[in-house]
Amino acid sequence: MSDKSTGIEHGLTNYGDRDFSLYLRRSFARSMGYSNAMLKKPVVGIAYTPSGFNNCHRHFPELLDAVKRGVLAAGALPMEFPTISLGEVFLNPTSLKFRNLMSMDTEEMIRAQPMDAVVLMGGCDKTVPAQIMGAVSAGRPAVMLVGGPMMTGRHRGERLGACTDCRRFWAQYRAGKIDDKEINEIEGKLATTAGTCAVMGTASTMACLVEALGMILPGTAAIPAVHADRLRAAEATGALAVKLIGSKLTPDVIINRKSIENAFRVLLAIGGSTNAVIHLAAIAGRAGVPVSLARLNELSDSTPVLVNLKPVGNGYMEDLFAAGGMGALMREIKDLLHLDAMTVTGETLGERLAADAGGFVDRSIIAERKSPLEPQGGLVALFGNLAPQGAILKRSAADAKLFEFEGKAVVFTSLEDLAARIDDPNLDVTANDFLVLQNAGPHSASAMPEAGYLPIPKKLASKGVKDMVRVSDARMSGTAFGTVVLHVTPDSASGGPLGLVRNGDRIKLSVRERRIDLMVDEAELKRRADTVKPAAATPSRGYARLYAQEILGADQGCDFAFLKPR
Ligand code: FES
């Protein structure tokens, strides 16, 4: 019984007598009906995240059976363990606030419990980055299994899926083009199967990125949740976890500068979610890899958008799977990738891509390099006096007519202020104004919700206005679209210049110059800064207090300072 013990002998509970500890553990394990032979096997832990509050994971019991089958057939003992789960639409104020809590839960339970390798089962938006962050910090052999996307549904002959269509129909309802009866009918058709949102939203983006990072089996990111291939992927993932036992290929080794850069390339080529910039920065940060938004711009300028999925294109995730999946996409940009990056299978990314070459590719979904959807990447980082440490714009989902634009600020000082006034018929606003939302960043009490997609004021929406420049320190759902400047850093609540914008100020956006500037002179900004009221008091207890004390800015992935490697 040394620290090199494996299986359930690993990491004994400390009673001051190691033999007693093992005797007691075996006795209690036997109470679960395991034979002695099973208890002598190495153990694969399975971080298991179903929840009554997570519709996206409702098929996890069936997937768990398949993972266990794979583990058992490969000769190890599978043991699932629960961690918290984050169902995107069931958390207040926003799921991002709890991503770090889930990563801590995952890290500590991997480390504290006797397992030789671990399968991470995640899917809904924040669960995948949380589990990867935790696994990188835990440093034990790990492989991820993502839950897979939902299938699409139909409404009056039209194909639809969560959640770009959720927003499209809601905008039509707000503009008076759809009545109460029809929006109620649509509500029942947007999300009809298990799995994650059906478009290239944050969950799908993160699934694609973990394949680019080399943390899941090749070809498994886009398999629909309810497809039999998803179960086969689960079984194979269980078997791979057994192969990983004793391996030095741990997540903190797989996640490195090269694999992170590969993930950014893929993020740009798929026109993926802005949220992924935050999650990749956090994952990279756990591995000690710095992420620079200036470098993101360099990558963006040389990476074409090739994947034709909503919200930037037309298709859904099930189409990406049928079109050839991530392998086909990565082969198309392989000259831009670090092909020597190692993956969880023990092969390099280049070897993996070569092994599956030559299959069918649907070019209506995965464009050829010579005819991209966009010649440059979907995301761009902006700097300037309004965002000294950066902001993000998803240019592939924005209106290019607004890229070089100057307008008057219409300021909302909080989410409550926004909700109270955005549809006020007397709001002084035109389509040429900039809607500005303050105090919705990571340091605010609202903890950076996906509120950056400010609604078009009803009085303008009803006249047919579909897009305006919107600026905030909040995030935006990966399923949303529009000329929306997000993640302005530093945020208002930590004293950033966004908090100094006042109604009527002029703001200038230049995507060409990668800038967003407040056209107010320095002296006036200093005068305003001197009159800013101190931020709200730190919460007195619990996780809210820890969050307030430790949260870092969007440029550092909104991780907690004390979770970064020392
Ligand atoms: Fe879970 Fe969209 S709500 S992925």
Side-chain angles (χ1 to χ4, degrees):
M1 285 180 293
S2 70
D3 286 343
K4 299 229 178 305
S5 303
T6 59
I8 66 158
E9 296 187 8
H10 176 81
L12 289 173
T13 314
N14 199 345
Y15 293 108
D17 176 344
R18 292 172 67 84
D19 289 335
F20 173 75
S21 298
L22 181 56
Y23 152 78
L24 199 64
R25 179 176 285 177
R26 277 213 196 100
S27 165
F28 282 36
R30 285 171 74 173
S31 81
M32 293 187 276
Y34 293 117
S35 63
N36 274 334
M38 287 307 291
L39 292 178
K40 287 203 173 78
K41 290 184 183 294
V43 172
V44 170
I46 303 167
Y48 186 50
T49 56
S51 162
F53 295 103
N54 193 340
N55 58 292
C56 300
H57 294 193
R58 80 167 153 91
H59 58 314
F60 273 28
E62 194 183 23
L63 277 185
L64 176 68
D65 284 347
V67 174
K68 286 176 139 182
R69 194 162 66 231
V71 173
L72 278 169
L77 174 60
M79 284 185 156
E80 77 270 28
F81 61 97
T83 70
I84 62 165
S85 188
L86 304 175
E88 184 62 21
V89 299
F90 292 95
L91 287 151
N92 176 276
T94 176
S95 63
L96 182 62
K97 180 169 182 179
F98 306 100
R99 183 203 62 186
N100 297 346
L101 181 63
M102 183 172 177
S103 87
M104 289 163 65
D105 186 357
T106 306
E107 172 186 346
E108 297 303 335
M109 288 304 101
I110 291 173
R111 200 183 282 124
Q113 298 176 128
M115 64 192 80
D116 301 290
V118 61
V119 175
L120 309 162
M121 288 180 64
C124 194
D125 285 25
K126 310 302 177 292
T127 60
V128 171
Q131 290 185 316
I132 296 285
M133 289 160 70
V136 169
S137 297
R140 200 163 291 184
V143 55
M144 176 132 221
L145 172 71
V146 293
M150 295 176 199
M151 302 296 286
T152 52
R154 294 286 186 283
H155 170 65
R156 300 186 183 177
E158 188 183 351
R159 192 178 179 210
L160 77 177
C163 222
T164 304
D165 297 321
C166 316
R167 294 168 200 287
R168 183 165 61 84
F169 284 117
W170 189 251
Q172 289 179 23
Y173 176 64
R174 279 178 58 80
K177 296 195 178 125
I178 283 179
D179 61 15
D180 287 349
K181 183 169 172 294
E182 186 171 357
I183 198 75
N184 188 39
E185 206 180 305
I186 291 165
E187 185 183 290
K189 292 177 175 168
L190 287 164
T192 52
T193 75
T196 50
C197 287
V199 299
M200 190 54 84
T202 304
S204 300
T205 300
M206 290 311 299
C208 294
L209 299 195
V210 286
E211 187 161 337
L213 285 168
M215 282 299 300
I216 60 175
L217 278 170
T220 62
I223 304 170
V226 295
H227 197 295
D229 280 354
R230 173 64 53 205
L231 292 169
R232 281 184 275 275
E235 187 183 297
T237 301
L240 176 57
V242 179
K243 267 174 83 179
L244 282 170
I245 292 171
S247 166
K248 300 233 177 318
L249 203 52
T250 47
D252 50 314
V253 174
I254 293 171
I255 308 289
N256 55 36
R257 184 189 62 78
K258 289 182 178 178
S259 60
I260 289 286
E261 199 154 296
N262 285 344
F264 270 110
R265 285 281 189 196
V266 166
L267 169 63
L268 294 159
I270 61 179
S273 164
T274 48
N275 282 323
V277 178
I278 290 177
H279 298 319
L280 275 181
I283 291 167
R286 292 295 181 96
V289 177
V291 164
S292 141
L293 291 182
R295 178 67 180 147
L296 172 67
N297 279 341
E298 288 171 16
L299 298 176
S300 193
D301 289 344
S302 55
T303 310
V305 180
L306 297 178
V307 173
N308 181 18
L309 295 197
K310 294 186 177 202
V312 302
N314 301 316
Y316 296 85
M317 281 299 281
E318 65 197 56
D319 303 324
L320 179 61
F321 173 58
M326 287 301 296
L329 182 267
M330 287 196 279
R331 272 189 288 280
E332 208 60 38
I333 56 166
K334 67 174 191 278
D335 58 308
L336 302 176
L337 300 173
H338 299 286
L339 296 176
D340 57 341
M342 283 305 292
T343 73
V344 73
T345 61
E347 303 155 291
T348 63
L349 180 63
E351 287 166 344
R352 276 170 61 154
L353 295 180
D356 295 333
F360 167 76
V361 181
D362 179 348
R363 293 300 179 189
S364 71
I365 296 294
I366 302 170
E368 276 186 283
R369 189 69 173 279
K370 60 179 191 243
S371 47
L373 274 78
E374 304 275 344
Q376 294 179 316
L379 301 176
V380 63
L382 305 171
F383 299 91
N385 75 350
L386 193 53
Q389 284 159 243
I392 296 289
L393 171 76
K394 188 169 182 176
R395 63 178 159 188
S396 56
D399 183 348
K401 290 199 282 300
L402 298 173
F403 283 2
E404 308 301 318
F405 204 69
E406 187 181 320
K408 163 174 78 75
V410 176
V411 179
F412 301 92
T413 57
S414 66
L415 290 162
E416 295 73 24
D417 185 32
L418 174 71
R421 294 194 298 120
I422 188 74
D423 289 335
D424 184 341
N426 297 319
L427 184 69
D428 179 14
V429 65
T430 73
N432 293 325
D433 294 338
F434 281 44
L435 300 178
V436 175
L437 172 64
Q438 299 168 326
N439 291 308
H443 293 86
S444 72
S446 57
M448 206 180 188
E450 291 184 339
Y453 174 73
L454 278 70
I456 304 295
K458 228 174 198 166
K459 68 192 242 186
L460 299 178
S462 59
K463 287 186 194 138
V465 176
K466 292 205 170 54
D467 198 7
M468 294 172 69
V469 182
R470 288 156 271 180
V471 184
S472 77
D473 44 13
R475 295 176 299 118
M476 173 171 88
S477 165
T479 61
F481 47 87
T483 311
V484 184
V485 178
L486 302 153
H487 310 180
V488 169
T489 306
D491 66 347
S492 327
S494 61
L498 183 71
L500 305 179
V501 183
R502 299 290 177 262
N503 271 324
D505 287 351
R506 306 290 297 175
I507 298 178
K508 188 174 172 192
L509 170 67
S510 173
V511 175
R512 189 173 48 233
E513 292 174 26
R514 312 281 193 267
R515 287 192 71 87
I516 183 153
D517 287 291
L518 181 59
M519 314 298 279
V520 174
D521 65 48
E522 279 292 313
E524 172 60 12
L525 289 178
K526 175 149 187 355
R527 192 191 63 72
R528 290 181 190 176
D530 290 343
T531 63
V532 166
K533 290 194 211 112
T538 303
S540 63
R541 61 170 298 281
Y543 181 68
R545 184 175 177 83
L546 180 69
Y547 178 94
Q549 289 174 336
E550 294 291 336
I551 189 71
L552 296 170
D555 56 333
Q556 296 192 67
C558 300
D559 202 358
F560 287 161
F562 75 97
L563 293 175
K564 295 254 201 179
R566 300 276 164 193

